[in-house]
Amino acid sequence: MRIAATAHKAGLPTNATMLYGHVENTEEKVYHLARLREVQDETGGFLCYIPLSFHPERTELEQLPGPTGCLDLKELAVGRLMLDNFPHIKAYWVMIGEETASIALNFGASDLDGTIGEERIAHAAKAASPVGLARTRMLRLIGDARKTPVERDALYNEIHVYDS
């Protein structure tokens, strides 16, 4: 939190994340979100909050149940409610899957991330999602949620608004 606040005060916006679905409890998640909210109130430098689901496969915690779409949607919705001072909440389709990410646009998420030419981090851990996502597929997922697709840059500046 201190590093993010320092970056914000220097004029560098950042994103905030929270890994969930492993060894944390509800109290710890609420504490984390409350701290993010406080830093955002102080600096206004967070562009986006990205909840990241833990996938236990091939880890020392593989006995834990894997993430569910229901948990993913709950975490996004709680993030939106607690972090109403964040301009964007991201449903990271690489971690939660394309369909859940599309549904998440009606549970508080305002962003599906991007087309991503070749995602490597989650796939190094054997993620089941596609390595990349074509623009046409992304437009369809957003349209299925009855939202208007907007292409943007990393700072959330609009590049192109697509027809609904």
Side-chain angles (χ1 to χ4, degrees):
M1 299 293 178
R2 189 175 75 250
I3 292 169
T6 300
H8 299 167
K9 290 173 184 170
L12 300 170
T14 67
N15 293 326
T17 62
M18 181 178 73
L19 184 65
Y20 64 88
H22 47 83
V23 297
E24 81 288 348
N25 61 39
T26 300
E27 182 178 313
E28 291 164 332
K29 291 189 288 187
V30 169
Y31 176 79
H32 183 80
L33 293 172
R35 288 288 298 127
L36 289 174
R37 183 180 174 82
E38 290 170 10
V39 171
Q40 183 70 339
D41 281 343
E42 292 169 17
T43 69
F46 286 119
L47 294 173
C48 183
Y49 167 64
I50 312 161
L52 300 170
S53 61
F54 177 70
H55 293 257
E57 305 86 11
R58 291 171 290 286
T59 74
E60 293 179 17
L61 300 173
E62 64 186 347
Q63 74 282 2
L64 296 176
T68 65
C70 185
L71 177 61
D72 295 329
L73 294 173
K74 285 179 182 179
E75 294 296 337
L76 283 155
V78 169
R80 170 44 65 215
L81 291 169
M82 287 195 65
L83 301 175
D84 65 343
N85 59 351
F86 273 59
H88 301 283
I89 305 290
K90 184 179 294 191
Y92 191 43
W93 64 265
V94 172
M95 300 295 278
I96 66 175
E98 297 171 44
E99 297 302 324
T100 301
S102 178
I103 294 167
L105 291 172
N106 289 295
F107 278 75
S110 63
D111 185 14
L112 292 188
D113 203 355
T115 52
I116 304 178
E118 184 179 354
E119 193 285 331
R120 295 182 181 163
I121 297 170
H123 288 90
K126 308 297 184 205
S129 62
V131 175
L133 195 60
R135 179 183 314 252
T136 54
R137 178 71 177 140
M138 182 69 71
L139 294 173
R140 184 167 184 205
L141 290 171
I142 296 166
D144 287 349
R146 301 199 188 300
K147 303 295 180 183
T148 301
V150 177
E151 184 177 350
R152 50 93 179 158
D153 64 17
L155 297 175
Y156 286 87
N157 297 305
E158 285 185 8
I159 295 173
H160 181 76
V161 178
Y162 293 84
D163 292 330
S164 298

